[in-house]
Amino acid sequence: MNKNREEEELESLLQGYSMMLYFTGLMVLYEPDDACIDEFWRGGLLRRLPVRSRNPLFVSAAADLHGSCCPENVCLKRIKSDFLKLFIGTGKMSAPPYESFHLGKEKLLFDKETLEVKEFYKSYGWKFALEGNIPDDHIGVEILFINRLIDTYISLDDEVCKREMRNEIARFIERHPLKWSSEWKDMVVANAETSAYRGIAKLIHASLVDISDILKNWG
């Protein structure tokens, strides 16, 4: 297998993970609607995930998502209810999706971790479209940034630049979402009423672990 073929396979693999992270990121960032159900449930993404993994958590996530409720009105209501309870809350979120909550010594929101992740975004000239409305350290925002880095990686031609970008993607994942996504995932699994959100949380953490491992061991 030559270098070009290997690189093509890596890019295809990263694109598959990026697609899954995009779906899961949206489901945590925004309250699900009919269009989301159409795209991800009726569209078949959940029945045929774009990558395969031997990671036991990934396998468990796939099983949860394959068995999640049918896209009927009652299903959408249950998923919306789960979203609001887990990530918005009427007084207290069941699974706060913020880095600063999980890493802050006093479990406070918007601590120094928010500023650190924002500096990482700035170093790549990236701004979240809803900056100011959703904190920079939201798991969904961090996922969108990872997708941006993957897109940049795929667009590069020079091997030296690609190597540096592989290192940067792994560095961001390890310095930020991987430091807290396991704890957040456990909170979602413990409090979610739908297999949809249990599977989504597992898939997010498993995908981050997989991407980090793949990039660190590449070449």
Side-chain angles (χ1 to χ4, degrees):
M1 183 181 292
N2 62 41
K3 179 75 170 181
N4 290 337
R5 181 61 177 168
E6 290 176 349
E7 180 59 36
E8 287 174 3
E9 290 188 357
L10 175 60
E11 291 182 0
S12 177
L13 188 59
L14 290 176
Q15 284 177 322
Y17 277 107
S18 180
M19 182 186 301
M20 291 188 301
L21 286 176
Y22 178 74
F23 152 66
T24 52
L26 289 183
M27 289 291 291
V28 178
L29 265 174
Y30 305 113
E31 182 178 348
D33 58 17
D34 288 317
C36 182
I37 296 295
D38 278 339
E39 183 173 359
F40 299 121
W41 269 265
R42 292 193 183 104
L45 175 64
L46 302 186
R47 291 192 299 272
R48 51 180 189 277
L49 295 177
V51 301
R52 292 183 180 180
S53 171
R54 295 181 180 179
N55 182 334
L57 187 62
F58 187 101
V59 175
S60 176
D64 283 336
L65 292 171
H66 290 164
S68 57
C69 57
C70 298
E72 300 172 355
N73 288 338
V74 64
C75 176
L76 179 58
K77 288 179 181 178
R78 290 181 62 213
I79 290 175
K80 282 186 173 183
S81 175
D82 235 5
F83 172 88
L84 294 173
K85 180 184 75 170
L86 292 167
F87 313 129
I88 303 298
T90 55
K92 181 180 179 182
M93 295 168 276
S94 297
Y98 305 103
E99 179 176 332
S100 51
F101 174 86
H102 295 276
L103 298 185
K105 292 181 180 178
E106 304 297 331
K107 297 294 186 185
L108 298 175
L109 289 175
F110 320 134
D111 202 347
K112 64 182 180 65
E113 283 77 15
T114 312
L115 299 177
E116 289 178 4
V117 76
K118 189 170 186 176
E119 287 303 312
F120 213 121
Y121 301 159
K122 281 184 177 180
S123 69
Y124 280 89
W126 187 77
K127 271 190 177 183
F128 178 50
L130 297 179
E131 184 179 13
N133 295 320
I134 297 178
D136 296 288
D137 67 339
H138 189 292
I139 187 72
V141 179
E142 293 188 358
I143 284 171
L144 290 178
F145 180 64
I146 292 167
N147 282 358
R148 168 65 179 272
L149 295 182
I150 290 174
D151 287 343
T152 300
Y153 172 80
I154 292 172
S155 71
L156 296 171
D157 294 320
D158 181 76
E159 173 53 31
V160 174
C161 293
K162 291 181 84 73
R163 183 173 62 248
E164 289 301 315
M165 184 54 67
R166 287 196 297 267
N167 292 337
E168 281 294 276
I169 296 171
R171 185 167 74 94
F172 177 78
I173 290 174
E174 291 180 355
R175 284 186 60 178
H176 292 287
L178 263 192
K179 279 189 173 181
W180 61 280
S181 58
S182 180
E183 177 180 303
W184 171 77
K185 175 261 300 177
D186 289 343
M187 293 179 74
V188 174
V189 170
N191 292 285
E193 296 179 0
T194 63
S195 60
Y197 271 110
R198 287 193 292 272
I200 284 168
K202 291 177 185 177
L203 190 62
I204 286 175
H205 182 64
S207 295
L208 292 171
V209 170
D210 284 358
I211 293 171
S212 177
D213 287 345
I214 289 166
L215 294 178
K216 284 192 302 182
N217 295 313
W218 184 255

